[in-house]
Amino acid sequence: MSVRVRFAPSPTGYLHIGAARSALFNWLYAKKTGGKFLLRIEDTDLQRSTDESTRSIIDGLEWLGLSYDEELVFQSANADKHRAAANKLVAEGKAYRDFTPKAERNDATVKQGIADRARAHAAEGVDHRSNPFRDLAGEESDKRAAAGEPFAVRLKIASDGKTHFDDMVYGPQEREYSEIEDLVLLRSDGHPLYNLSVVIDDIEMGITHVIRGQDHLTNTHKQILLYQALGARLPHFAHLPLILAPNKGKLSKRKHGEVVSLTTYRDRGFVPAAFRNFLALLGWSPAEGKEVLSVDELIAEFSLEHIHRSPAVFNFQENDPRHWTDEKALWMNAEYIRTMPVDDLLPMIKAELRANKLWREEYDEDDHDWFVSAVQVIRQRFHTLKDFSAQGRAYFSDDFDFDEAAVNKNLRKEPKLKELLPGLADHLEKLDPFNHDTAEAALRGFAEESGVKAGLLINGSRTMLTGQAVGPSMFEVFAILGQKRSVERLRSGVPWFDAMNAVGDV
RNA sequence: GGCGCAUUGGUGUAGUUGGUUAACACGCUGCCCUCUCAAGGCAGAGAUCACGGGUUCGAGUCCCGUAUGCGCUACCA
């Protein structure tokens, strides 16, 4: 039987990186086994589900390159099937109507409420099979239902025995029935609940392997009971270790903000392949040590056996712009930016420049070769796509900012540069041809005849031409910017002439 | 409260029939390269493998206990 896996997020917000990783692992498993990867939106919680969120999930998967097979399934569309299944279980005596009035719960205190109730039950000796309606006669139950009395439907779980399954990641698991309450399948308003819906939908969609977060590990036992009650064949289960915050707590948007949202990485200039690669390494590692892996390599290397069981910490420092997300993710992105095939990178840079009004159509036409060579040079030290429009701005526009510290360090510190730089411009202007080597010879010659170190002119030029203190080799910069712009910028004197006497504001 | 899962340097991980100085990547430090910053090369710091017992000639690897963290326990998903 061929593999069918699914990613089943609930559309109650942005796509969380933990969920994105689940999607990735499901997708990789499908590709690895030649199976199908399906997407199901679990929107049964109507109050909290939004179209916007669904949109962002789909966009996020697309951005990561995780395309799904077959039609997108909305769980809410199957509600009737879920209800029918529950009613069938009632008719078969495998589930029962519970006429106990619904207890109101406050979302904020549920966890505490659960613990309190459990403690109280233990103290009073109340067990999970003590529901008074559990063994209500069928006729009586039908009569009360027909009379319009509200009821929830609960699965009737046997008093003795245990469920077990062999998790593909966590190994053999078992749980006593006595630990499991008769779970509610249908709310008293007829609304099907999560455990019922997933099981029915997974059966319906022919899912063979359920790969999801470890937070569902213990729920699996309840779902197995449902599969059995429904007489359905069990899928294989594989649970994934959770991704935690640096303090080993839960990673949540509430507490940690946008670092946990996949779209943040897109918006902050990540190359999708780089982030996908990084995500793949959270909780899984390839058999061989190699960590930078193309999609094809990921697929070839991927196996559930190499997923490990302890939770992974997603390392980042809040309030520190330099370490706003995991350093390894940042490194991975830089690695991709400087080493990936330039043709794959170009469209992303184009989009970035376009968004900042720095794109010119000539870059696709007459100036294409120039554009490629400029990218080849500057991408070497960039970390995100954003850098192309920020630090890289001077390569694409004459309107760029000067870094204050760079101006102080490379220009203001040596007043002689006020004359030297225009002097250098005069020499460069005469060059024919103008290129890396001739520019270097001219600069070094001029430095010697002026009695100054070449480095002084080089660093001064860097700041005059790019506004920055750091960047590629200066002669490469001259070559990229070309003779005309190099000469103009050397003569412009903008950032420091005026500021020398004045207040220092550029 | 109960049940479950986990615990290897700061982080991600390797180590899966128990057997040399616990390996790799990111990060960090230093040196080289050099016009700056990266990249790259070289060198280095950093782990009594959560803790305590036990089994064994020998344990990160097996067993028991403890602690800590996380998850589940709901007419949430």
Side-chain angles (χ1 to χ4, degrees), chain A residues 21 24-25 28 274-286 291 293 298 302:
Chain A
R21 191 204 48 177
L24 173 61
F25 283 17
L28 285 172
F275 198 68
R276 179 177 58 206
N277 196 156
F278 169 75
L279 234 33
L281 263 19
L282 242 32
W284 171 80
S285 63
E291 293 193 329
L293 304 160
L298 280 177
F302 189 76

Side-chain angles (χ1 to χ4, degrees), chain A residues 391-411:
Chain A
Q391 285 108 290
R393 189 178 175 95
Y395 296 89
F396 306 109
S397 168
D398 289 327
D399 175 26
F400 58 92
D401 292 331
F402 285 83
D403 176 69
E404 186 67 17
V407 172
N408 285 332
K409 180 168 173 250
N410 290 340
L411 299 174

Side-chain angles (χ1 to χ4, degrees), chain A residues 4-312:
Chain A
R4 291 171 67 84
V5 295
R6 86 300 197 275
F7 173 51
S10 54
T12 53
Y14 57 92
L15 183 55
H16 188 284
I17 54 170
R21 191 204 48 177
S22 292
L24 173 61
F25 283 17
N26 272 285
W27 184 86
L28 285 172
Y29 192 67
K31 295 296 162 193
K32 173 83 183 185
T33 57
K36 296 237 190 288
F37 170 68
L38 312 181
L39 177 59
R40 180 174 74 228
I41 303 293
E42 306 216 321
D43 57 345
T44 56
D45 187 341
L46 272 358
Q47 287 77 28
R48 292 197 293 157
S49 300
T50 64
D51 291 345
E52 188 194 352
S53 175
T54 299
R55 193 69 249 164
S56 105
I57 288 166
I58 293 171
D59 288 349
L61 292 182
E62 189 184 345
W63 184 70
L64 279 178
L66 310 182
S67 57
Y68 52 91
D69 305 302
E70 304 186 3
E71 282 293 291
L72 171 61
V73 173
F74 283 94
Q75 188 161 65
S76 59
N78 299 336
D80 287 341
K81 279 182 199 155
H82 304 157
R83 270 187 286 272
N87 291 331
K88 182 160 173 271
L89 290 176
V90 171
E92 293 171 353
K94 292 174 179 166
Y96 62 94
R97 300 190 184 93
D98 180 359
F99 294 97
T100 310
K102 181 183 174 183
E104 292 301 332
R105 274 184 213 288
N106 176 349
D107 257 16
T109 59
V110 262
K111 297 278 178 195
Q112 191 53 48
I114 290 162
D116 291 346
R117 193 175 70 125
R119 216 164 307 159
H121 280 190
E124 295 162 22
V126 179
D127 74 29
H128 281 146
R129 307 290 161 257
S130 60
N131 189 303
F133 298 100
R134 192 178 145 89
D135 296 309
L136 189 66
E139 300 163 23
E140 172 70 7
S141 174
D142 290 345
K143 198 158 71 182
R144 290 175 69 160
E149 189 174 342
F151 59 88
V153 173
R154 308 187 92 114
L155 185 68
K156 194 183 283 185
I157 297 173
S159 326
D160 296 312
K162 56 179 78 168
T163 53
H164 33 82
F165 67 99
D166 199 8
D167 191 272
M168 293 174 83
V169 172
Y170 285 88
Q173 303 290 318
E174 62 174 38
R175 197 159 192 215
E176 296 283 346
Y177 288 168
S178 61
E179 294 296 331
I180 310 174
E181 195 170 14
D182 285 347
L183 60 143
V184 173
L185 269 20
L186 246 38
R187 260 198 235 161
S188 48
D189 61 4
H191 185 90
L193 255 20
Y194 173 74
N195 283 304
L196 205 221
S197 299
V198 236
V199 171
I200 303 285
D201 286 351
D202 282 342
I203 293 170
E204 190 83 7
M205 291 166 78
I207 300 304
T208 58
H209 298 254
V210 173
I211 304 172
R212 68 217 324 183
Q214 193 250 29
D215 46 345
H216 288 293
L217 189 63
T218 44
N219 279 330
T220 304
H221 293 97
K222 298 184 204 168
Q223 294 173 14
I224 284 174
L225 256 12
L226 257 172
Y227 275 99
Q228 291 169 346
L230 293 161
R233 183 190 168 138
L234 285 181
H236 296 283
F237 291 97
H239 288 86
L240 274 17
L242 263 21
I243 298 177
L244 269 26
N247 66 357
K248 303 200 193 287
K250 195 171 178 171
L251 197 54
S252 74
K253 184 173 191 180
R254 232 184 109 94
K255 279 199 195 131
H256 307 104
E258 59 177 1
V259 249
V260 304
S261 172
L262 185 72
T263 50
T264 300
Y265 295 86
R266 179 193 64 200
D267 298 342
R268 293 226 196 174
F270 265 74
V271 171
F275 198 68
R276 179 177 58 206
N277 196 156
F278 169 75
L279 234 33
L281 263 19
L282 242 32
W284 171 80
S285 63
E288 290 173 42
K290 192 179 171 194
E291 293 193 329
V292 180
L293 304 160
S294 67
V295 223
D296 290 340
E297 289 171 320
L298 280 177
I299 293 168
E301 291 281 319
F302 189 76
S303 79
L304 295 175
E305 287 71 42
H306 277 90
I307 291 175
H308 85 159
R309 297 185 282 271
S310 53

